[in-house]
């Protein structure tokens, strides 16, 4: 398979890339830290990838998105799967006070993805096959005081993907929305989370590979988050607004 | 709130070391202005050698990348936080195996080096450190030392078995050993006393790469020192007739039970049943995971000792006195009415480790685990007396209680080693065993 991974050095993307590498797939990696990118590229080669290419790019640098996509398709010699995995977890207290920080969070987690998806969707539509897998979040299912700016970005992203899926449904292109719950990664390290609700990046990666294989539309990872979010979304707003969540 | 993943495998002592993530092997250590740090791998050391109370723990989980693997020579270079399990997953299908492995594959490679771990093939292969070809050490002042037997050999020697105190290992290179397949041909033989164990071992060392024994430490009187001897070689055939599957990852213990499940009654029952279950003699083909890592298939088995955790004790005495010392040790355990769940006996060989502070040396070693109770403390002090009297050594990686006096007696080279310790690095263990001058 020919796999393009954006935000490749994020913990979930790394684990997913390793699973494709171990199968002997061709992989093109995009991330902004050159040394981490090189580290991962070597790692994937050792693990068995048949070809690894990479490009250093900040996901918010939308002017370069087309260049990136062309380089990936050239290098991979086609495109079967795109995984978009970059993102940031904004400091909610900061974004509440500061609009530029809010805008940055929306760019990181939403607008940059929309820009990429515009080009990617057209390529996939034209070739008539491929999977577009994007990491959204359970945080996008309902706004909560503790992270609603992040939630807004991810919620907007989930809606965008829903529309894109509908648009591409007849073309043989699958759009997969991935909604992880709490995952122990560098992004969430400051939360010091542990316990049964927290998953390891590799558990999420296993779920992503399976969901891609099965042409799923929306997956909650781990799966129990679907039940949790169903309950969270079912609470009437008059009660929900009083909860400390 | 639990300590998350930053505790030792024995779940005691408790520690409040604050994690600091190391995000890339290329980045300098980003240390706070004050305070001592200690690299933390996967927390499989049993006591306080992986803890740093009131200080910081360098979380090396992100250093989990392979760097290079030469499939023809079996030379593998990986980042410090790569687990032995990840290495096996990659290299076994390609015909290579770890040259030495401890009893769990969930340790990081740097942890294996820092504790200079040993395995069931010590009599042939020596320690893990004997197979390390190179490593990089990052010091708190930013200096990077490329260490090998030829380059910075004194730093190489200090870092192998150096308990993580000489600086942060960023990567390790190791020479793997070739295998034909994932299987071992294992033979089990029951023995009824320690003398019989030593005879069996002597008869087996030549022909078997792996030898180890389990001892029933609840047995007393005429049954004292009974157990089962396991010996094995990697399966030599390219297409073995019988290909057992890897053991499934069991459910394990999802939480810490409020009281220890290990007590005198359960120990006696377990040891008796386990002994009876051992065949008088059996030969079979086993998957490497079943042979090397039987406990790995029970997740969080360490939780069965309840919230107080458990203590391990592993001592090593010269072979000449082994039979006599272990008879006394087993008698002391039986007399104390404490029991060990797993008592493991192994004869180490003459192969010298390059490590300055390495625990293994020629002799006989016995590993025991006990629930963490006040009575255990007294018993272990008694075992230390016996080990000291026999010119023995006790394993730091499994310790949370030995006195400074005992440590300095076991490791008289500790002051030579101290000059290699990074001034910003320390551990709970190190402060404890160097706190008071030996009298």
């Amino acid at each position: 398979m020919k796999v393009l991974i954006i935000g490749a050095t994020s913990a979930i993307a790394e684990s997913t890339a390793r699973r494709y590498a171990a199968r002997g797939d061709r992989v093109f990696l995009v991330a902004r830290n050159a040394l981490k990118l090189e580290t991962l590229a070597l790692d994937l080669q050792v693990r068995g990838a048949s070809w690894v290419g990479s490009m250093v790019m900040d996901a918010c640098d939308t002017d370069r998105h087309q260049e990136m996509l062309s380089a990936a398709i050239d290098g991979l010699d086609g495109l079967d799967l795109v995984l978009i995995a970059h993102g940031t977890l904004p400091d909610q207290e900061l974004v509440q006070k500061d609009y530029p920080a809010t805008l940055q969070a929306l760019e990181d987690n939403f607008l940059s993805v929309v820009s990429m998806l515009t080009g990617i969707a057209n390529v996939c539509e034209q070739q008539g096959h491929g999977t577009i897998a994007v990491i959204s979040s359970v945080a996008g299912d309902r706004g909560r005081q503790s992270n609603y700016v992040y939630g807004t970005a991810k919620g907007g992203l989930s809606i965008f993907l829903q529309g894109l899926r509908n648009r591409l449904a007849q073309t043989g292109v699958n759009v997969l929305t991935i909604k992880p719950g709490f995952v122990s990664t560098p992004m969430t390290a400051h939360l010091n989370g542990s316990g049964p609700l927290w998953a390891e990046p590799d558990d999420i990666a296993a779920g992503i590979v399976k969901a891609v294989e099965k042409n799923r539309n929306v997956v909650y990872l781990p799966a129990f988050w679907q039940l949790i979010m169903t309950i969270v979304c079912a609470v009437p707003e008059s009660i929900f607004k009083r909860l400390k969540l | 709130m639990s300590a998350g993943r930053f505790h030792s495998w024995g779940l005691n002592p408790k520690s409040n070391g604050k994690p600091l993530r190391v995000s890339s092997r290329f980045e300098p250590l980003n240390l706070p202005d004050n305070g001592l740090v200690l690299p933390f791998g996967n927390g499989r050391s049993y006591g306080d050698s992986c803890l740093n109370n009131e200080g910081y723990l360098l979380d090396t989980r992100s250093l989990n990348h392979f760097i290079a693997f030469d499939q023809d020579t079996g030379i593998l270079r990986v980042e410090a936080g790569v687990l032995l399990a990840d290495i096996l997953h990659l290299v076994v299908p390609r015909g290579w195996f770890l040259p030495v492995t401890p009893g769990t594959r969930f340790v990081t490679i740097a942890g294996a080096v820092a504790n200079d771990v040993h395995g069931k093939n010590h009599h042939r292969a020596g320690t893990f450190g004997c197979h390390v070809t190179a490593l990089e050490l990052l010091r708190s002042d930013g200096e990077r030392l490329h260490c090998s037997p030829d380059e910075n050999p004194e730093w190489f020697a200090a870092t192998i078995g150096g308990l993580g105190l000489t600086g942060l290992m960023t990567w390790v290179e190791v020479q793997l050993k070739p295998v034909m397949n994932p299987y071992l041909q294992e033979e089990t033989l029951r023995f009824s006393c320690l003398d019989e164990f030593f005879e069996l071992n002597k008869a087996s060392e030549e022909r078997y790469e792996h030898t180890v024994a389990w001892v029933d430490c609840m047995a007393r009187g005429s049954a004292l020192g009974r157990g089962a001897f396991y010996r094995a070689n990697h399966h030599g055939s390219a297409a073995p007739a019988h290909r057992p599957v890897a053991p499934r990852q069991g459910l394990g213990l999802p939480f810490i039970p409020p009281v220890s499940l290990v007590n005198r009654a359960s120990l006696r029952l377990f040891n008796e049943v386990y002994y009876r279950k051992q065949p008088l003699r059996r030969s079979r083909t086993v998957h490497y995971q079943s042979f090397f890592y039987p406990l790995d298939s029970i997740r969080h088995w360490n939780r069965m000792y309840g919230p107080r955790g458990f203590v391990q004790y592993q001592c090593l005495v010269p072979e000449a006195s082994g039979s006599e010392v272990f008879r006394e040790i087993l008698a002391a355990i039986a007399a104390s009415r404490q029991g060990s769940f797993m008592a493991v006996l192994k004869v180490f060989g003459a192969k010298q480790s390059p490590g300055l502070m390495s625990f293994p040396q020629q002799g006989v070693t016995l590993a025991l685990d006990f629930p963490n109770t006040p009575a255990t403390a007294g018993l272990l002090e008694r075992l230390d007396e016996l080990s000291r009297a026999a010119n023995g050594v006790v394993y730091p990686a499994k310790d949370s209680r030995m006195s400074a006096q005992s440590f300095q007696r076991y490791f008289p080279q500790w002051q030579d080693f101290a000059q290699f310790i990074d001034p910003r690095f320390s551990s709970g263990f190190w402060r404890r065993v160097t706190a008071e001058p030996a009298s």
Side-chain angles (χ1 to χ4, degrees):
Chain A
M1 214 159 60
K2 297 154 184 178
V3 187
L4 163 62
I5 304 180
I6 295 148
T9 58
S10 79
I12 293 173
E14 274 203 15
S15 290
T16 312
R18 284 172 175 167
R19 288 175 173 266
Y20 288 116
R23 304 182 348 177
D25 290 340
R26 294 170 72 84
V27 191
F28 191 91
L29 311 169
V30 180
R32 67 182 161 182
N33 183 316
L35 283 175
K36 285 189 188 174
L37 195 55
E38 181 57 26
T39 303
L40 179 61
L42 279 177
D43 176 72
L44 298 182
Q45 263 155 20
V46 173
R47 288 178 196 260
S50 53
W51 181 84
V52 183
S54 65
M55 177 167 160
V56 179
M57 187 193 82
D58 188 317
C60 292
D61 191 353
T62 52
D63 290 346
R64 296 184 65 202
H65 285 183
Q66 194 53 46
E67 175 201 343
M68 178 269 292
L69 186 57
S70 305
I73 293 169
D74 278 357
L76 290 168
D77 193 22
L79 191 62
D80 299 318
L81 167 65
V82 181
L83 173 65
I84 301 183
H86 71 272
T88 56
L89 188 59
D91 176 348
Q92 177 64 27
E93 273 186 40
L94 174 68
V95 290
Q96 269 168 223
K97 294 178 198 138
D98 186 46
Y99 175 67
T102 300
L103 186 61
Q104 187 62 51
L106 294 176
E107 275 182 20
D108 290 347
N109 294 298
F110 179 44
L111 295 172
S112 61
V113 188
V114 168
S115 163
M116 283 170 196
L117 285 173
T118 305
I120 291 165
N122 292 333
V123 166
C124 288
E125 185 178 36
Q126 205 156 39
Q127 69 181 20
H129 72 91
T131 297
I132 302 171
V134 184
I135 299 186
S136 183
S137 170
V138 294
D141 282 9
R142 190 160 194 178
R144 298 180 294 126
Q145 59 177 319
S146 60
N147 69 352
Y148 64 83
V149 170
Y150 180 71
T152 300
K154 290 299 194 181
L157 181 56
S158 293
I159 299 277
F160 186 92
L161 293 167
Q162 200 171 40
L164 189 63
R165 180 180 304 114
N166 187 206
R167 173 187 145 198
L168 298 177
Q170 303 304 319
T171 66
V173 178
N174 192 51
V175 177
L176 168 64
T177 307
I178 301 154
K179 296 184 177 178
F182 299 140
V183 190
S184 305
T185 69
M187 187 175 94
T188 59
H190 62 284
L191 302 175
N192 284 323
S194 69
L197 289 182
W198 284 79
E200 289 301 315
D202 196 49
D203 300 332
I204 307 301
I208 291 174
V209 171
K210 204 166 134 192
V212 168
E213 230 165 57
K214 294 192 163 176
N215 281 324
R216 294 279 304 273
N217 299 316
V218 181
V219 281
Y220 287 82
L221 294 173
F224 62 76
W225 280 97
Q226 179 150 24
L227 178 65
I228 295 177
M229 295 319 293
T230 304
I231 295 166
V232 168
C233 291
V235 178
E237 192 67 12
S238 53
I239 296 170
F240 195 81
K241 71 176 183 185
R242 286 178 236 268
L243 301 178
K244 284 204 158 52
L245 286 166
Chain B
M1 156 94 191
S2 79
R5 62 183 222 99
F6 298 98
H7 51 71
S8 68
W9 191 243
L11 298 174
N12 88 87
K14 307 295 179 221
S15 168
N16 61 6
K18 284 187 279 297
L20 286 177
R21 187 176 280 262
V22 180
S23 67
S24 161
R25 72 173 185 272
F26 296 107
E27 282 173 14
L29 288 177
N30 190 11
L31 301 184
D33 292 341
N34 293 300
L36 295 164
V37 302
L38 180 72
F40 188 91
N42 204 32
R44 293 294 171 128
S45 299
Y46 292 84
D48 55 359
S49 64
C50 64
L51 301 178
N52 191 20
N53 222 11
E54 308 298 328
Y56 297 89
L57 294 169
L58 296 175
D59 180 2
T60 58
R61 193 168 24 160
S62 294
L63 302 184
N64 59 7
H65 301 91
F66 289 92
I67 300 171
F69 178 42
D70 186 330
Q71 293 206 49
D72 300 323
T73 61
I75 296 255
L76 174 74
R77 182 180 291 195
V78 300
E79 286 186 343
V82 168
L83 298 182
L84 298 188
D86 298 330
I87 294 176
L88 290 165
H89 185 74
L90 178 82
V91 305
V92 172
R94 302 181 192 192
W96 294 94
F97 204 82
L98 293 166
V100 166
T101 176
T104 169
R105 64 192 192 282
F106 299 127
V107 300
T108 64
I109 191 162
V113 175
N115 294 288
D116 199 12
V117 297
H118 56 272
K120 298 174 172 70
N121 62 351
H122 185 279
H123 62 285
R124 265 203 208 170
T127 64
F128 194 87
C130 295
H131 306 272
V132 174
T133 49
L135 57 88
E136 184 185 72
L137 197 58
L138 173 57
R139 302 270 295 175
S140 61
D141 60 8
E143 189 181 12
R144 284 172 191 268
L145 292 166
H146 190 279
C147 306
S148 75
D150 308 315
E151 207 176 335
N152 296 311
E154 69 285 8
W155 289 96
F156 186 70
T159 301
I160 292 174
L163 300 169
L165 299 170
T166 59
L168 178 73
M169 276 179 259
T170 56
W171 55 258
V172 175
E173 186 184 85
V174 63
Q175 171 70 62
L176 303 175
K177 67 164 270 166
V179 291
M180 300 293 281
N181 54 56
Y183 312 113
L184 289 107
Q185 192 61 35
E186 176 202 51
E187 202 174 345
T188 309
L189 302 124
R190 210 149 81 169
F191 59 84
S192 58
C193 65
L194 283 178
D195 288 337
E196 210 178 313
F197 159 77
F198 283 104
E199 277 165 37
L200 265 175
N201 186 70
K202 205 166 195 164
S204 308
E205 281 190 324
E206 275 277 298
R207 285 182 298 127
Y208 293 88
E209 182 185 348
H210 301 281
T211 62
V212 72
W214 166 81
V215 191
D216 176 358
C217 67
M218 297 302 278
R220 52 184 77 189
S222 62
L224 186 81
R226 70 181 185 180
F229 188 80
Y230 308 92
R231 58 191 191 188
N233 285 313
H234 286 276
H235 204 293
S237 157
H242 180 53
R243 301 176 185 202
V245 292
R248 281 232 315 249
Q249 178 85 49
L251 274 182
L253 282 81
F255 58 90
I256 299 177
V259 294
S260 174
L261 306 179
V262 182
N263 53 45
R264 274 184 57 218
S266 65
L267 278 171
R268 188 170 295 281
L269 183 69
F270 171 82
N271 278 272
E272 184 69 33
V273 170
Y274 196 80
Y275 180 73
R276 298 280 166 213
K277 216 187 80 177
Q278 298 303 314
L280 280 174
R281 186 172 189 140
R282 172 183 64 192
S283 180
R284 59 174 180 168
T285 306
V286 290
H287 191 272
Y288 78 84
Q289 289 180 9
S290 320
F291 180 74
F292 290 113
Y293 316 114
L295 285 173
D296 279 357
S297 53
I298 307 165
R299 284 183 74 178
H300 303 300
W301 64 263
N302 56 334
R303 291 176 176 170
M304 73 181 175
Y305 287 92
R308 297 176 66 120
F310 71 106
V311 288
Q312 273 254 339
Y313 186 81
Q314 183 170 354
C315 61
L316 166 66
V317 299
E319 192 170 354
S321 49
S323 177
E324 196 186 321
V325 176
F326 289 145
R327 214 184 312 276
E328 282 183 63
I329 285 181
L330 290 177
I333 295 169
S336 76
R337 309 178 80 81
Q338 297 284 305
S340 173
F341 200 59
M342 265 293 159
V344 176
L345 200 55
K346 159 85 194 156
V347 178
F348 283 170
K351 186 162 179 173
Q352 273 284 333
S353 164
L356 177 58
M357 289 290 285
S358 292
F359 158 75
Q361 50 187 272
Q362 188 160 26
V364 203
T365 187
L366 176 67
L368 304 155
D369 49 48
F370 301 96
N372 178 29
T373 64
T376 301
L379 170 64
L380 295 185
E381 204 42 54
R382 171 79 189 122
L383 300 191
D384 258 356
E385 274 170 35
L386 292 167
S387 302
R388 282 199 307 261
N391 285 320
V393 212
V394 170
Y395 195 10
K398 297 188 172 179
D399 183 73
S400 53
R401 36 97 12 223
M402 75 168 90
S403 68
Q405 192 188 1
S406 290
F407 172 77
Q408 294 172 21
R409 171 88 180 264
Y410 298 140
F411 296 92
Q413 71 276 35
W414 73 276
Q415 278 163 316
D416 295 337
F417 169 71
Q419 59 184 313
F420 294 98
I421 296 179
D422 189 298
R424 294 296 304 277
F425 281 48
S426 184
S427 68
F429 174 84
W430 190 254
R431 289 190 292 277
R432 180 164 58 78
V433 299
T434 58
E436 47 197 280
S439 50

